Amino acid sequence: MISVKNLTKYYKNTQALKSISFDINNKEIVGILGPNGAGKSTTLRILTSYLNATNGDVIINGENILFNNREIKKLIGYLPESTPIYNDMCVFDYLVYMADIQEVDRAILRDRLYYVIDACSLREVISKTISELSKGYKQRVGIAGAIIHDPKILILDEPTNGLDPNQILEIRDLIRELGKEKTVLISTHILSEVEAICSRVIIIKDGVIVADDTPHNLYNIYSSKNDNLSKVRIKIKTDEKIDSIKLKLKSMKNIESFDVFDSDIDNIKNIILYSKDIIDNIYLFIKDTNWIIYEMIEEKYNLEKAFHNLTTSNREYINE
């Protein structure tokens, strides 16, 4: 669906992109990650023809954007970081306006309006002025405008920026549903969002792709020794001394490391351990002691550690 070859972009004397290449398949949801200034938004703007590349090629649906720009734009729905909506328009008028810009055939306009209103859950606000809407609803209106012409590709730059946790979950669900029918590219700083939505991650650092793989594979490859183990946080009640607790923990199998420390509550001890064992076996071990378990939490892998390691070092990995 999308093929990027040796893409390079200069802003005067500053090189924002350094000959990056990647391919994205049909109906794939891909997260574009990177620190501020890494080149994420520049990449998306070139893909949407908002910017011209200095060098390199972008092939979308078999066509080079340099030679068939107008037709390729019809295949793309784009939501920039700052949602380009008109606050003095009502939602319905804005959607009709966006449909006219995208040259939606009047014969199918009614069906398209019904679809985006339902898909983006806008029925309750369809007659309201956009200025009256919450930021979450404004994002929904922006996405509705981006998909009104039924594009094959949806490109979203920071789609949940500034939203509250409930609004973020709503937009995530919407993007996940849209990804069943469309190729979706998302640029975001919220790594949990990528883990929840994306099947693949491209990480850019200083204009270079330093990783291209699934979130799970990136974590496994770019985590430290302890990151690859299960991290378990345990809160117990016992009158045993810390040294005695440590002595017992040393007898556990598959424990790489641990720490024990007092809490602010009498007889409550906190344990953090890294284990190759499953949490059930840790529970059974503690059950055989006189400790009372107040809390036991296993921390699953996350993308943050891999992202940190990749963007703060000279390491580079691209899955072939």
Side-chain angles (χ1 to χ4, degrees):
M1 175 60 70
I2 300 173
S3 182
V4 173
K5 303 295 182 186
N6 302 317
L7 197 63
T8 300
K9 177 64 179 177
Y10 280 92
Y11 294 104
K12 295 184 178 179
N13 294 326
T14 301
Q15 189 174 9
L17 294 177
K18 302 172 183 177
S19 193
I20 66 171
S21 300
F22 59 86
D23 294 305
I24 295 175
N25 299 319
N26 188 34
K27 296 183 181 179
E28 194 172 18
I29 304 181
V30 179
I32 308 291
L33 303 182
N36 289 330
K40 306 183 302 296
S41 292
T42 296
T43 301
L44 299 187
R45 288 171 183 170
I46 292 173
L47 294 181
T48 58
S49 297
Y50 182 82
L51 290 176
N52 291 324
T54 305
N55 288 302
D57 293 304
V58 176
I59 310 298
I60 296 178
N61 204 33
E63 300 285 345
N64 193 311
I65 62 171
L66 288 176
F67 308 122
N68 203 359
N69 182 289
R70 183 177 175 84
E71 291 303 312
I72 289 174
K73 283 183 178 179
K74 295 179 181 179
L75 301 176
I76 298 173
Y78 177 42
L79 183 68
E81 183 176 355
S82 299
T83 310
I85 51 180
Y86 296 95
N87 286 324
D88 57 343
M89 297 180 75
C90 81
V91 174
F92 181 83
D93 289 344
Y94 173 78
L95 295 177
V96 172
Y97 171 69
M98 291 300 294
D100 286 341
I101 287 177
Q102 297 291 354
E103 300 178 351
V104 174
D105 192 324
R106 285 284 170 173
I108 64 169
L109 176 58
R110 183 184 179 88
D111 289 340
R112 291 305 304 162
L113 285 169
Y114 274 122
Y115 171 77
V116 299
I117 289 167
D118 286 340
C120 300
S121 300
L122 296 174
R123 193 168 294 277
E124 292 183 4
V125 299
I126 193 64
S127 299
K128 288 188 176 182
T129 304
I130 292 175
S131 61
E132 300 177 54
L133 305 183
S134 68
K135 191 162 186 179
Y137 266 117
K138 286 180 179 180
Q139 286 293 86
R140 288 180 174 275
V141 171
I143 293 174
I147 64 174
I148 188 71
H149 59 300
D150 195 20
K152 292 184 177 181
I153 301 168
L154 185 59
I155 297 178
L156 308 172
D157 196 353
E158 301 288 348
T160 59
N161 187 33
L163 302 186
D164 67 36
N166 289 331
Q167 292 168 338
I168 288 174
L169 290 175
E170 291 171 359
I171 297 299
R172 277 185 192 172
D173 290 341
L174 173 57
I175 294 170
R176 195 180 290 113
E177 283 300 309
L178 292 171
K180 294 177 181 178
E181 301 178 354
K182 305 180 187 304
T183 301
V184 182
L185 276 73
I186 303 172
S187 172
T188 181
H189 286 102
I190 305 174
L191 301 183
S192 59
E193 188 171 287
V194 172
E195 290 181 300
I197 298 174
C198 301
S199 58
R200 181 175 153 209
V201 180
I202 296 173
I203 299 179
I204 302 176
K205 175 190 174 186
D206 298 328
V208 176
I209 293 177
V210 294
D212 182 351
D213 210 328
T214 66
H216 186 272
N217 285 346
L218 287 176
Y219 175 81
N220 286 337
I221 294 168
Y222 288 106
S223 55
S224 67
K225 178 184 176 182
N226 276 350
D227 291 337
N228 281 320
L229 304 170
S230 295
K231 181 179 181 180
V232 183
R233 295 181 180 272
I234 307 167
K235 186 176 290 186
I236 61 171
K237 183 175 182 179
T238 178
D239 56 5
E240 283 190 50
K241 301 297 183 183
I242 286 180
D243 287 344
S244 175
I245 295 171
K246 288 182 176 181
L247 189 62
K248 287 182 178 178
L249 290 174
K250 285 180 180 179
S251 69
M252 285 184 66
K253 294 180 179 180
N254 296 325
I255 298 296
E256 291 290 327
S257 63
F258 61 82
D259 196 11
V260 183
F261 50 95
D262 285 309
S263 71
D264 295 331
I265 304 172
D266 288 344
N267 292 333
I268 298 295
K269 305 291 191 299
N270 292 305
I271 301 171
I272 297 176
L273 58 83
Y274 293 92
S275 171
K276 293 179 181 178
D277 216 337
I278 60 174
I279 197 167
D280 290 353
N281 289 340
I282 297 171
Y283 170 78
L284 291 173
F285 175 87
I286 295 176
K287 191 177 178 182
D288 287 337
T289 70
N290 62 352
W291 305 341
I292 299 173
I293 300 177
Y294 272 30
E295 182 179 81
M296 183 161 62
I297 301 172
E298 183 180 20
E299 294 188 359
K300 300 294 185 180
Y301 79 87
N302 61 66
L303 195 57
E304 290 181 5
K305 292 165 185 171
F307 178 84
H308 176 75
N309 288 341
L310 278 162
T311 57
T312 58
S313 70
N314 294 321
R315 298 163 72 180
E316 179 175 337
Y317 166 72
I318 299 176
N319 180 30
E320 299 293 348

